[in-house]
Amino acid sequence: MPWVPFWPRTSATSGELVNTLFIAELCVCAAILALVLGLIWLFCIRYRRGSTAPRGDPGEKSWSVEIAWTVGTLFAFLVLFVWGAKSYVWLYRPPPADLDIYVVGQQWMWKIEHPGGQREIDELHLPVGKNVRLVMASQDVIHSFFIPEFRVKHDVVPGTLEVMWFRPTETGHFTILCAEFCGTQHAHMGGQVVVLEQPEYALWLSNQGISEPLAQQGEALFRTYGCSGCHGGNSTVHAPSLAGLYGRLVHLADGSTVPADERYIRDKVLLPNKQIVGGYPPVMPSYAGQIGEDDLLKLIAYIQSLAPSATNQGRTR
């Protein structure tokens, strides 16, 4: 019979946090269960039929035990709630990333691209000890990118971009799963993360052949789709400049501000009238149905490259 470890394999900083919180919750629940079952057994034995335990004159009702029980359990669960909320915020606020990876979920595969243009399907090669940020999109239905050994899982929803991060702490091969039912071949939608030492990762990148960096591919698409006609440096059209856009706050026509992150750029391409930039007329056409998720991620990578000094701001939003 195979041995199931009480503390499963953990290979990322996020896994250590999730493990500790989960075990703490189990311990609190086990303590409450033991107390309740212990009292049940105690009363069953003490007041069994034929015992000499006194049953008359119950005395006055005392609230001390009930108050202590309620306050004690409430405090324990409030501690777990605050701990869990802080952990959630930590997991969903990416720190400055050492490496951005672009992922597109599609029935029934994970398409992955590195900043240097290297492509993978159902495999993700990474260096150990680096903060990795995944920018994820879905081409069709809802998927969920799940790496059990890292204790990270994030839904990938059509029509928006999702961001997930982790920091691998050991080398090896780790399973990728789709944790959201996505069709008849859902059970076969998986892959693996391959975590390498930094020299081995650099060698793997160089062995993938000559690839055009993602930002350069995005620049070519920027011209192909006619974006440069309005947003280029020599354009005579009154349109916002994209130089330095990524990572800064954008002032909208309604007086509000939004951060120019990946979601904002994606929405401006597909839903240009959703958020009108202050001082500019709403004349940009929509590219919905004309550009796929893969090309959108390349365009975003290009716009990111125009604001190198603002990259970390966008990553820490």
Side-chain angles (χ1 to χ4, degrees):
M1 180 177 178
W3 169 255
V4 179
F6 177 72
W7 200 285
R9 183 184 183 187
T10 304
S11 305
T13 52
S14 51
E16 297 167 3
L17 174 68
V18 173
N19 279 355
T20 306
L21 176 59
F22 183 67
I23 297 301
E25 290 178 348
L26 284 181
C27 290
V28 171
C29 293
I32 294 173
L33 180 64
L35 178 60
V36 172
L37 291 181
L39 290 174
I40 291 174
W41 276 104
L42 174 64
F43 294 146
C44 286
I45 295 173
R46 180 175 174 80
Y47 296 104
R48 68 190 183 278
R49 179 183 297 178
S51 72
T52 58
R55 293 173 171 80
D57 190 19
E60 295 183 1
K61 182 177 180 63
S62 172
W63 292 95
S64 57
V65 174
E66 295 185 28
I67 292 175
W69 166 262
T70 303
V71 171
T73 53
L74 176 62
F75 177 78
F77 284 112
L78 281 177
V79 169
L80 290 175
F81 170 77
V82 172
W83 187 359
K86 291 180 65 176
S87 301
Y88 178 88
V89 171
W90 182 79
L91 285 170
Y92 281 84
R93 282 190 177 176
D98 300 310
L99 179 64
D100 278 339
I101 301 293
Y102 299 88
V103 179
V104 175
Q106 180 179 347
Q107 293 174 317
W108 288 275
M109 68 180 72
W110 298 107
K111 298 189 292 184
I112 297 165
E113 291 195 63
H114 295 254
Q118 297 87 354
R119 299 183 180 183
E120 303 185 78
I121 293 181
D122 293 339
E123 273 198 344
L124 173 56
H125 286 75
L126 298 173
V128 69
K130 299 294 184 181
N131 289 338
V132 179
R133 194 177 69 122
L134 305 185
V135 181
M136 303 182 293
S138 172
Q139 191 71 49
D140 36 47
V141 299
I142 298 176
H143 300 283
S144 189
F145 194 87
F146 180 31
I147 309 176
E149 289 89 348
F150 293 178
R151 310 293 190 272
V152 290
K153 179 171 73 72
H154 204 303
D155 287 353
V156 187
V157 182
T160 186
L161 290 180
E162 303 295 338
V163 175
M164 181 175 77
W165 79 277
F166 48 81
R167 183 185 180 92
T169 55
E170 63 178 61
T171 59
H173 293 69
F174 310 100
T175 304
I176 300 174
L177 299 173
C178 178
E180 185 76 32
F181 181 74
C182 56
T184 56
Q185 299 299 313
H186 162 71
H188 301 286
M189 185 172 177
Q192 65 175 349
V193 178
V194 182
V195 181
L196 306 170
E197 296 290 350
Q198 185 63 46
E200 296 174 347
Y201 176 69
L203 179 62
W204 177 85
L205 289 176
S206 63
N207 288 338
Q208 301 311 301
I210 300 175
S211 301
E212 190 176 25
L214 216 59
Q216 291 185 17
Q217 297 180 46
E219 184 179 11
L221 292 170
F222 189 76
R223 294 192 296 268
T224 299
Y225 285 104
C227 309
S228 58
C230 297
H231 297 282
N234 299 322
S235 173
T236 58
V237 178
H238 183 56
S241 172
L242 302 184
L245 169 67
Y246 181 77
R248 78 181 187 208
L249 290 177
V250 178
H251 297 271
L252 303 180
D254 61 4
S256 62
T257 58
V258 294
D261 56 12
E262 291 88 357
R263 295 184 183 92
Y264 171 80
I265 296 172
R266 184 186 188 281
D267 286 346
K268 291 306 294 181
V269 174
L270 302 182
L271 304 168
N273 293 327
K274 179 180 178 180
Q275 296 171 316
I276 307 299
V277 179
Y280 295 92
V283 296
M284 179 175 170
S286 170
Y287 287 85
Q290 303 178 49
I291 181 170
E293 296 293 345
D294 301 72
D295 287 349
L296 269 173
L297 292 176
K298 293 172 184 176
L299 280 172
I300 290 171
Y302 169 62
I303 296 173
Q304 285 177 323
S305 72
L306 300 178
S309 62
T311 302
N312 283 346
Q313 298 177 28
R315 291 175 182 172
T316 56
R317 65 188 183 284

